[in-house]
Amino acid sequence: MISEDAVVNLFALAHPGRLNVFRTIVQAGPDGMAAGKIAASNGIPANTASTHLSILTGAGLLTAYRDGRSIIYRANFAHYADLMGFLLEDVTESNAEAATSLHAYFKNRPVAKV
């Protein structure tokens, strides 16, 4: 990932509503979630959810597909991993304390079974 792409991704996440929508979809896992359910889960109007989903999809953080009358949104985990890798690569190479803190944080987190 290059800096310009990271900025687009961080901009997409730099809004409380969009961040909540993204987290909701990440928690839904690989099956994703219908747009209407995303709006309802976040207590926001459908048009607001649509705007958030459009920005997140445009940034590459989400993918979408049609299932009958619904649009299902899924987190693009590979893209999300690229963003996290971009943000973390310099920290872990140049700062042992930061690397130790990150290792401790992730060591205690459950990993989903794939």
Side-chain angles (χ1 to χ4, degrees), residues 30-55:
D31 292 337
M33 186 180 284
K37 188 171 179 184
I38 294 165
S41 295
N42 284 276
I44 56 176
N47 63 334
T48 301
S50 179
T51 300
H52 293 332
L53 293 165
S54 177
I55 292 169

Side-chain angles (χ1 to χ4, degrees), residues 31-39 50 53 63-74:
D31 292 337
M33 186 180 284
K37 188 171 179 184
I38 294 165
S50 179
L53 293 165
T63 61
Y65 69 94
R66 183 169 292 282
D67 182 19
R69 293 180 45 169
S70 297
I71 299 176
I72 308 299
Y73 289 88
R74 291 190 277 199

